[in-house]
Amino acid sequence: MAFLQFSGQDLFDGKLFLGANQVLITDETGRVEAIVPRSEAGEDIREVEGILSPGFVNTHCHLELSHMKGRIPEHTGLPEFILKIVSDRHHPEEEILEAIAKAEAHMLESGIVVVGDISNNQLTAAQKAKRNLAYYTFVEISGWKPEIAEPRFSNAQKVMEQFRGITTDASPKLPHRMLNPLQTSFSPHAPYSVSEELWEMMMPHFEGNTVTIHNQETPAENELFLKGSGDFVQMYQAMNIDQAHFTPTGKNSLPSYFPRLQKAKNVLLVHNTTTTEADMDFAAATAAAHEQSLFYALCVNANLYIENALPPIEMLRSKNANIVLGTDSLSSNHQLSILSEIQTIAKNFPMIPLNEILKWATSNGAEALQMDAQFGSFTPGKKPGIIVLENIGPNQTIGEATVKRLI
């Protein structure tokens, strides 16, 4: 088998920049063979104008909502946003499937190779069966009313069966993608949408899996658990949902629910815009006690779209949090692009080194989704995808950068 050799203005291996004098060697399918100094690589080196990097990992996406692009105004606040999702997400299946395929194609073009995707139904199953991308499908479960816990969990089990039944598309067009894995697990939607009864049903299924949850995306979430008041109470009323079963814990939401995730191997907390230092300390201590790995997913463009707020990234960094990146959905974002998320972070937090943010977008994300055996870094034997970040400015500024997928 012939080998390919790549070199650029720099080489990011998933954790560090190695410099312009390093050459990445792969086979024709993109399996990494080695990284060697240019002096040892010989001839036939493909020179690229930009930074070579493993493909991006999008740890949080709602592909099934792709048909809702532009349907919800910006800055509604989360409770109003949820009401609009619930009332306007049902469209003709043909329209939804077309939007899903288009959104996936955009992710491919933008350098994404792995997606942690939230699924409430089986509508993304046919697209995922094509194995264009590797997916970790989180079958999402919600139900605030105790009396609907059993039918909601039963429905989630049926959705899970659909995804576990996906078979490999044997199309010869993309042979190197046919091995892309499809992993699944149950995950709760959010602390404010899962009853005690529903928690009890899903908790035994967390063991060994990555489990994700929307965490502290809005101040109203903490207010609900602290006082039993606020915008979520009004949202329940608008949806004719009785909350008589709920008793406030007197604590923020994260310490109120986090112990229920103790069976999970990895915990992936998404958004975290109102997470406090005390919340983080509690989660870290609880995760350590149960030998879990804890990750914080940032979806900054969605946070700006919905709440016009940003997560406390400097606090997360000061606590040495495992940070990863996501895009959320096209109902809350203008595009499903990890590069765009990186650019927004770099714009608002210019002191963060580019290699650190790229690590969030590659190796950290692969570890969070338990897919680091194949993705996230240029370790020999892996097939992480190869992308090049072009139009990098002085001192590795990335504001005007574009991305091209090589393999």
Side-chain angles (χ1 to χ4, degrees):
M1 179 180 289
F3 290 102
L4 306 176
Q5 299 189 117
F6 302 92
S7 182
Q9 68 186 66
D10 211 325
L11 175 61
F12 177 73
D13 70 352
K15 296 187 178 181
L16 299 169
F17 283 117
L18 302 183
N21 291 320
Q22 298 295 311
V23 176
L24 173 67
I25 304 175
T26 76
D27 67 16
E28 292 174 328
T29 70
R31 188 182 303 278
V32 176
E33 294 293 324
I35 296 174
V36 301
R38 181 181 291 271
S39 59
E40 299 177 13
E43 300 178 352
D44 298 323
I45 299 173
R46 179 175 174 181
E47 303 285 351
V48 299
E49 293 294 328
I51 297 173
L52 287 162
S53 170
F56 290 141
V57 179
N58 180 359
T59 63
H60 184 75
C61 182
H62 297 254
L63 192 58
E64 67 190 18
L65 296 178
S66 298
H67 63 291
M68 295 195 67
K69 183 177 182 179
R71 294 182 182 274
I72 303 177
E74 296 185 46
H75 308 158
T76 62
L78 185 62
E80 182 64 22
F81 178 85
I82 293 172
L83 282 172
K84 291 183 180 297
I85 288 284
V86 171
S87 63
D88 195 32
R89 69 179 295 162
H90 302 289
H91 288 253
E93 184 170 318
E94 181 179 352
E95 175 187 340
I96 296 174
L97 296 179
E98 182 180 350
I100 287 169
K102 184 177 179 181
E104 185 191 69
H106 173 71
M107 285 196 284
L108 273 165
E109 292 170 2
S110 65
I112 292 170
V113 296
V114 182
V115 182
D117 188 54
I118 302 293
S119 293
N120 288 268
N121 53 56
Q122 76 285 358
L123 288 171
T124 58
Q127 194 64 40
K128 290 173 180 175
K130 297 178 181 179
R131 306 289 178 119
N132 295 327
L133 293 170
Y135 284 96
Y136 195 118
T137 296
F138 298 105
V139 175
E140 187 173 76
I141 310 177
S142 64
W144 189 237
K145 296 189 293 186
E147 59 268 28
I148 66 171
E150 188 170 342
R152 286 294 179 89
F153 187 69
S154 177
N155 179 72
Q157 289 177 309
K158 293 175 183 176
V159 174
M160 178 68 79
E161 290 172 6
Q162 291 283 331
F163 285 105
R164 287 180 174 168
I166 290 175
T167 56
T168 301
D169 176 10
S171 168
K173 297 178 182 178
L174 301 170
H176 63 286
R177 293 181 188 156
M178 286 165 56
L179 297 179
N180 279 352
L182 293 166
Q183 296 178 224
T184 57
S185 66
F186 289 122
S187 284
H189 166 251
Y192 53 80
S193 64
V194 178
S195 67
E196 294 281 351
E197 290 77 4
L198 196 50
W199 273 111
E200 291 298 321
M201 291 178 184
M202 71 174 81
M203 283 166 54
H205 299 271
F206 294 163
E207 190 163 1
N209 292 316
T210 296
V211 175
T212 191
I213 186 169
H214 295 80
N215 177 67
Q216 296 173 307
E217 193 174 353
T218 175
E221 182 178 319
N222 285 333
E223 182 178 353
L224 175 68
F225 283 86
L226 282 165
K227 304 176 182 179
S229 58
D231 290 345
F232 276 117
V233 174
Q234 297 175 24
M235 183 189 78
Y236 298 142
Q237 292 170 347
M239 299 170 71
N240 295 315
I241 296 176
D242 182 11
Q243 63 156 354
H245 65 282
F246 175 69
T247 301
T249 62
K251 299 181 288 187
N252 277 352
S253 69
L254 190 151
S256 298
Y257 75 79
F258 193 85
R260 295 188 176 105
L261 302 174
Q262 63 184 258
K263 288 184 178 295
K265 176 178 174 61
N266 290 356
V267 176
L268 179 57
L269 304 179
V270 182
H271 294 303
N272 314 297
T273 51
T274 63
T275 301
T276 67
E277 186 172 354
D279 293 334
M280 290 188 66
D281 289 342
F282 177 88
T286 305
H290 295 97
E291 299 182 337
Q292 297 172 298
S293 294
L294 176 61
F295 297 85
Y296 289 85
L298 307 180
C299 304
V300 289
N301 287 334
N303 299 148
L304 292 170
Y305 192 108
I306 298 173
E307 292 269 339
N308 199 25
L310 287 168
I313 294 180
E314 281 303 328
M315 183 186 74
L316 293 171
R317 295 179 69 226
S318 73
K319 306 293 284 185
N320 296 315
N322 295 318
I323 298 174
V324 297
L325 303 184
T327 61
D328 214 53
S329 76
L330 287 176
S331 65
S332 59
N333 203 336
H334 298 289
Q335 56 186 320
L336 303 182
S337 167
I338 290 296
L339 177 59
S340 179
E341 302 295 320
I342 292 171
Q343 289 169 323
T344 298
I345 292 170
K347 177 182 177 181
N348 288 278
F349 302 90
M351 73 295 295
I352 304 177
L354 180 58
N355 71 289
E356 183 177 344
I357 306 177
L358 288 177
K359 183 181 177 184
W360 302 347
T362 55
S363 59
N364 278 15
E367 291 171 15
L369 298 180
Q370 299 188 57
M371 290 186 171
D372 50 313
Q374 179 173 341
F375 300 101
S377 67
F378 287 141
T379 302
K382 294 187 182 183
K383 294 174 64 175
I386 304 172
I387 62 175
V388 57
L389 301 173
E390 301 177 319
N391 301 313
I392 302 296
N395 300 316
Q396 295 182 333
T397 54
I398 199 168
E400 302 301 320
T402 56
V403 62
K404 179 189 294 183
R405 182 173 182 145
L406 299 181
I407 297 180

